[in-house]
Amino acid sequence: MTSNRRTFAIISHPDAGKTTLTEKLLLQGGAIHLAGEVKARGAARRARSDWMKIEQQRGISVTSSVMTFEKEIDGEVITFNLLDTPGHEDFSEDTYRTLTAVDSAIMVIDVAKGIESQTRKLFEVCRLRNVPIITFVNKVDREGRPLFEILDEVADALALDVSPQNAPLGMGGLFTGVLDFATDTVTRPEGGSKEFLGKREPLGDLPEELEEEIELTKIGYPEFDLEAYRNGDLTPVFFGSALKNFGVEELIEAIAKWAPPPRPQPAGEDEISPERDEVTGFIFKVQANMDPNHRDRIAFMRQVSGTFKRGMKLTPSGLGKPIAVHSPILFFAQDREIADTAFAGDIIGIPNHGTLRVGDTLSEKNDVRFTGLPNFAPEILRRVVLADPTKTKQLRKALDDLSEEGVIQVFYPELGAQHIVGVVGQLQLEVLISRMEAEYKVKANLEPSPFATARWVKGDDKALDEFEKFNRANLARDRDGDLVFMAKSPWDVNYQEEKNPDLTFSATKER
């Protein structure tokens, strides 16, 4: 069953059209019946994958949603597990964790904007995870830049080869239709319609300028190579318009034919194959309050191996004793279904009350530990000040929950009562304040902190005791109780490293 699974993420910079493309992929797969960006009005117009209040208000994605749909491709039913990642660089840590759970990714680029600085950062995250990328250049129905300029930017950003496979070059201007470089064919709209395309025909009667651009592209870029793509050395590039549903079907076919099925996952020095009989998986995301009426808490598990059956017992590495998974969930846009069975590559939601945490491994025999889901040192640190001092307990609950989700990191100082939150970007702070008020009824303000960064400290007990004795004012504990050095500057970090050679000061921590 694993060979017909395609588990992939969609990533992009803001406003590139990622949410619209997500909708159209779900529409093509039958998971939804109305494309919100095209015809819906009011509340229905909001993207099906954007459920959080701040996402709906600002039109951006700040959480990672999971959606499953099926589609028959060349006579075979393919199960697509689509993970819609945050569309903002401030949430790159959440994007990184999401990419641990997928086997490939689609990078969405605005044809007019090309590669932006935050797009490069997302590319780098993919490269760190060795995730194969299909690039989708969006909005070609609008004025954009020449094909080969976009391809050069993609190649430069990824530092690898690009291959323009299936290139809809526009909905007007020089050319209207789909140009397929793989087969040297063209598909034009029937009856003047921009929505529906006709039969494929050999290339011919193209404007001279377009022919020159095509020739430049063919000379400058290599043929598609499946092995190079799956190794992360090449990205096929598609051009289309998500809004006009133009090139989306070709993109789905490419994912089905080329994107890798479930891959082995790292577990320390070993790898766990999807063909392994034992059920194994790991929690890459926890989401609280998806349904505010029920105060639910869902842990998202990427299944790595085995055949999961509803009700079976799995042991979380963080708990040490088995739990029975009675109500596993599969997600179809905003709808949920109880999963009776699941296979390697599937993403299932496990309702729980704090039992499961990001980074936990679940397995039948409790003899596996998956790795590669770190916390990163925050770049912004703020003190949290309650508007109502009687709500200390609710504040602690909110900070612990949101820290577990990866929205923030929280640090509890060894001296002083004010909690400190750490984030990568400013937008995370806005999300924190918004969600604390909406979901936990806690109003709070954020004040400047004297600290600039944080490092996790480890070493033998004697060295740690000595270090704590002289630095208590600069120490805190994270939500796991691990010791953290709160530094006022990078110089402070370097100074402590030189002064304490028996200790390690780490900018990352394995979850």
Side-chain angles (χ1 to χ4, degrees), residues 95-331:
T95 299
Y96 185 94
R97 283 195 290 268
T98 300
L99 288 171
T100 66
V102 301
D103 303 301
S104 63
I106 296 174
M107 175 65 79
V108 185
I109 296 172
D110 185 328
V111 71
K113 296 179 181 178
I115 302 291
E116 298 185 275
S117 59
Q118 53 194 308
T119 318
R120 288 179 178 272
K121 191 170 184 178
L122 290 171
F123 272 142
E124 290 169 7
V125 172
C126 286
R127 296 289 281 164
L128 282 171
R129 293 298 312 163
N130 196 31
V131 174
I133 298 171
I134 293 176
T135 302
F136 184 76
V137 181
N138 194 25
K139 304 183 183 181
V140 298
D141 52 320
R142 310 175 194 181
E143 186 175 347
R145 294 158 62 195
L147 167 64
F148 56 85
E149 283 188 14
I150 295 288
L151 292 172
D152 281 346
E153 286 188 3
V154 172
D156 180 61
L158 278 175
L160 47 73
D161 291 333
V162 300
S163 174
Q165 281 306 112
N166 198 300
L169 291 180
M171 309 286 287
L174 290 178
F175 175 73
T176 301
V178 178
L179 204 62
D180 189 340
F181 287 175
T183 59
D184 278 337
T185 58
V186 61
T187 311
R188 291 187 173 89
E190 289 181 330
S193 167
K194 293 183 179 181
E195 299 289 339
F196 302 100
L197 298 174
K199 295 180 180 179
R200 292 189 179 187
E201 299 175 351
L203 289 178
D205 300 324
L206 295 178
E208 185 176 337
E209 291 177 48
L210 184 58
E211 285 187 345
E212 289 178 3
E213 191 170 316
I214 291 170
E215 198 59 35
L216 281 171
T217 303
K218 286 187 173 182
I219 292 171
Y221 296 97
E223 295 284 331
F224 175 72
D225 183 289
L226 180 61
E227 185 176 354
Y229 156 67
R230 289 189 175 180
N231 287 339
D233 299 322
L234 177 146
T235 177
V237 182
F238 288 72
F239 289 72
S241 168
L243 185 63
K244 301 294 186 181
N245 209 20
F246 194 72
V248 176
E249 187 170 353
E250 288 81 3
L251 185 62
I252 291 181
E253 289 178 357
I255 299 166
K257 293 176 181 177
W258 300 337
R263 303 188 298 173
Q265 296 292 329
E269 296 181 359
D270 298 322
E271 283 190 333
I272 304 300
S273 167
E275 307 303 323
R276 181 174 172 144
D277 291 335
E278 177 194 357
V279 171
T280 64
F282 60 88
I283 305 299
F284 68 93
K285 177 179 176 60
V286 172
Q287 186 71 62
N289 308 322
M290 290 185 72
D291 183 349
N293 295 323
H294 295 92
R295 309 290 293 178
D296 61 348
R297 189 175 186 277
I298 305 294
F300 291 85
M301 182 185 86
R302 158 66 191 248
Q303 187 166 333
V304 175
S305 66
T307 300
F308 171 85
K309 294 182 180 178
R310 180 185 175 189
M312 77 185 317
K313 291 186 176 181
L314 298 175
T315 301
S317 55
L319 189 63
K321 60 182 181 179
I323 60 171
V325 185
H326 292 297
S327 304
I329 299 167
L330 287 177
F331 299 89

Side-chain angles (χ1 to χ4, degrees), residues 331-351:
F331 299 89
F332 297 88
Q334 284 184 331
D335 300 322
R336 307 178 183 185
E337 289 186 7
I338 295 295
D340 290 320
T341 58
F343 304 91
D346 286 339
I347 308 294
I348 61 174
I350 304 176

